[in-house]
Amino acid sequence: MKYFVFIVFDEPEIVGVLDFLVEVMNGKRWKAPPHLTIQGPLESRPTSEHIDGIKERLASDEILIANPGIFTTKSGVALYLSVNSQNLKKVWNKPEYPIAKYGFNPHLTIYEGPDIKKAQRAYDFLKSGFYRIELICRKYSVVPYASKQLELFPVHEVQGDENAITRLIGLGKVSSSFRAAFMQAVNS
């Protein structure tokens, strides 16, 4: 069995915005909460002391989710948003993707599949600068995960705020045309 350490995003508005993007790209929302794998695969289960050490290093961090990117995969293409914080690199441990060889590119995959044109349209839209995604997450959890045992993934009660985009539009933080423009750009 392989073990991992995740950062799970706990802010309903952040989860809601990410869910919206994922749903437009994939036709459905995520089954598991949005998360970033920061360590693994590991050969042994992370101890509570290990998890607490990561939490301490990240305690004052705000996590920025922004800057779209795209890369090819075995199934076609992946569209992602970059993720970073002040101390994230200090807790990063992904043996199959060493920083020396692959660089440091933490990200949340929004879409992975064969529709390269759809992913490119979404990337172009998000990269355009007019509709820029910059989410700052202040509430998140650091949790262990064991592969092949989905029930061990700690599914938090944080549900994505399905009205997050509408609420952010009302607060003037998101353009009133963002939702419709993103859907049109991706599906055109």
Side-chain angles (χ1 to χ4, degrees):
M1 186 174 321
K2 301 290 184 183
Y3 300 92
F4 299 85
V5 178
F6 292 163
I7 290 177
V8 178
F9 302 100
D10 293 334
E11 290 187 46
E13 280 188 343
I14 301 289
V15 174
V17 171
L18 295 172
D19 275 348
F20 166 76
L21 296 172
V22 167
E23 185 174 22
V24 171
M25 293 303 299
N26 300 283
K28 59 186 175 187
R29 293 175 181 256
W30 279 315
K31 292 179 183 175
H35 63 277
L36 174 68
T37 304
I38 59 171
Q39 294 189 353
L42 307 170
E43 293 299 320
S44 59
R45 183 184 302 274
T47 64
S48 59
E49 293 81 14
H50 181 78
I51 298 297
D52 289 344
I54 295 170
K55 289 177 182 178
E56 285 178 30
R57 285 187 202 98
L58 297 176
S60 62
D61 282 17
E62 295 178 334
I63 297 178
L64 174 66
I65 304 167
N67 302 321
I70 199 166
F71 59 87
T72 58
T73 68
K74 291 178 184 175
S75 64
V77 67
L79 171 70
Y80 66 88
L81 292 175
S82 295
V83 178
N84 213 338
S85 75
Q86 182 177 347
N87 293 299
L88 188 57
K89 194 171 188 177
K90 295 176 185 174
V91 299
W92 194 258
N93 177 18
K94 298 183 79 176
E96 293 179 356
Y97 299 98
I99 292 173
K101 183 175 181 179
Y102 295 97
F104 182 64
N105 186 25
H107 62 274
L108 288 172
T109 301
I110 302 299
Y111 172 79
E112 184 173 357
D115 196 337
I116 296 169
K117 289 181 181 180
K118 180 177 187 177
Q120 187 65 52
R121 289 190 303 268
Y123 171 79
D124 291 344
F125 178 90
L126 294 170
K127 193 74 174 171
S128 71
F130 186 74
Y131 294 108
R132 191 174 176 96
I133 296 283
E134 290 184 348
L135 305 170
I136 298 174
C137 186
R138 294 177 181 90
K139 288 176 51 182
Y140 50 88
S141 303
V142 177
V143 298
Y145 168 76
S147 65
K148 307 282 187 219
Q149 295 187 3
L150 293 177
E151 69 277 2
L152 293 181
F153 184 69
V155 177
H156 293 35
E157 293 302 316
V158 177
Q159 296 295 318
D161 180 350
E162 292 188 13
N163 296 312
I165 300 286
T166 303
R167 191 172 341 311
L168 293 170
I169 288 169
L171 293 171
K173 294 182 178 184
V174 173
S175 169
S176 60
S177 60
F178 173 80
R179 180 181 23 227
F182 182 69
M183 291 170 63
Q184 181 180 4
V186 167
N187 296 312
S188 63

